[in-house]
Amino acid sequence: MTKIQELGSSLQKLLSTLKKNREMIPLEVLKSHYRQPYYALIREINKTASAFVKAVLINHLILNPDISLDGQAAVINQVIAESGMDWQMSSCLSRTYNVEQLYQMALELRQKIECALWPYIDLKTCLVFDLDNPDAEPVTYNTLMRQICRDGIWENQELDLQWKFLFYPNARIHPGDESVKEEKEKNGYGDSYRTKNNCTPVRP
């Protein structure tokens, strides 16, 4: 069982307990007579939900090791803040008690993060020239993703780079520059890749 599956299973059990309590006992009574165990349950749900979402967001997330990790972390935090999805996730848990829906929302947020990080990852996109076959068309390859680009679509395929010449067209471009987009379009990359990790607490 993976960490994501383990956290998801624990979260679903906690949510089932919360749902049963709310269905069997009036909310006013839960907040007064059973205040201590009720709010302890809410805190445990918040803690587990936050860990679950974070695990989904960072699981095998690719970062460029040659670029400031703080800068890339800032991009991730900005995407999360601007998405407003932390509140949506909280509302989802409060209304549905459904971990699967939370998981799908976390995947959607992860996709937004991957798109925002793409300019950093794209710096590792190169043209691979076969020195033994100089007339062959170069292959577009990303050494971080270990994927090749065919007809604008990235596919998993690790290349043997021995005796190959690698040309990095974006190596001198900083992700913050406007020229990044222009350079990507000039080289035919476009956006073909695929388009502070917190989960807002469940409302008592």
Side-chain angles (χ1 to χ4, degrees):
M1 180 180 292
T2 66
K3 181 179 180 181
I4 293 176
Q5 291 173 328
E6 182 179 346
L7 288 168
S9 177
S10 298
L11 180 57
Q12 190 61 70
K13 291 177 182 178
L14 291 169
L15 290 171
S16 296
T17 300
L18 178 64
K19 184 175 185 291
K20 181 183 294 185
N21 287 343
R22 287 177 171 178
E23 289 176 346
M24 297 181 62
I25 303 173
L27 188 58
E28 294 76 11
V29 178
L30 285 173
K31 291 183 175 181
S32 56
H33 188 71
Y34 297 102
R35 179 181 180 84
Q36 185 172 349
Y38 175 68
Y39 280 97
L41 176 61
I42 293 293
R43 287 193 296 271
E44 188 63 25
I45 289 175
N46 291 336
K47 177 182 176 181
T48 307
S50 180
F52 175 74
V53 171
K54 181 177 181 179
V56 174
L57 295 183
I58 68 174
N59 183 47
H60 300 303
L61 183 67
I62 299 176
L63 299 175
N64 189 331
D66 297 332
I67 302 296
S68 167
L69 295 181
D70 288 341
Q72 293 175 83
V75 170
I76 294 173
N77 289 332
Q78 182 178 2
V79 170
I80 294 174
E82 293 179 353
S83 71
M85 292 189 69
D86 52 350
W87 173 254
Q88 296 176 39
M89 291 178 185
S90 171
S91 179
C92 171
L93 287 183
S94 297
R95 290 184 291 101
T96 69
Y97 309 96
N98 191 314
V99 173
E100 179 59 29
Q101 289 191 28
L102 178 65
Y103 177 66
Q104 294 302 322
M105 296 177 73
L107 287 180
E108 180 183 345
L109 180 56
R110 181 191 169 98
Q111 186 177 47
K112 294 177 183 294
I113 290 173
E114 288 178 331
C115 288
L117 289 174
W118 172 242
Y120 297 93
I121 306 305
D122 195 26
L123 295 176
K124 291 298 186 178
T125 295
C126 64
L127 298 177
V128 181
F129 294 85
D130 189 345
L131 298 180
D132 292 330
N133 189 7
D135 293 330
E137 287 290 328
V139 177
T140 301
Y141 183 64
N142 188 282
T143 57
L144 284 179
M145 299 190 303
R146 296 179 180 178
Q147 293 181 341
I148 64 173
C149 185
R150 287 195 181 98
D151 299 323
I153 298 176
W154 289 97
E155 302 174 356
N156 292 327
Q157 182 175 328
E158 187 168 359
L159 295 182
D160 180 3
L161 301 179
Q162 188 174 15
W163 306 113
K164 303 294 192 299
F165 173 74
L166 309 184
F167 171 64
Y168 292 86
N170 298 332
R172 297 182 180 180
I173 302 175
H174 189 278
D177 294 340
E178 286 297 321
S179 55
V180 170
K181 183 177 181 181
E182 296 175 2
E183 186 71 17
K184 286 167 60 179
E185 292 175 349
K186 182 179 71 176
N187 288 287
Y189 305 144
D191 296 318
S192 59
Y193 169 48
R194 21 173 208 271
T195 293
K196 182 177 175 174
N197 306 313
N198 297 314
C199 180
T200 301
V202 172
R203 289 170 290 176

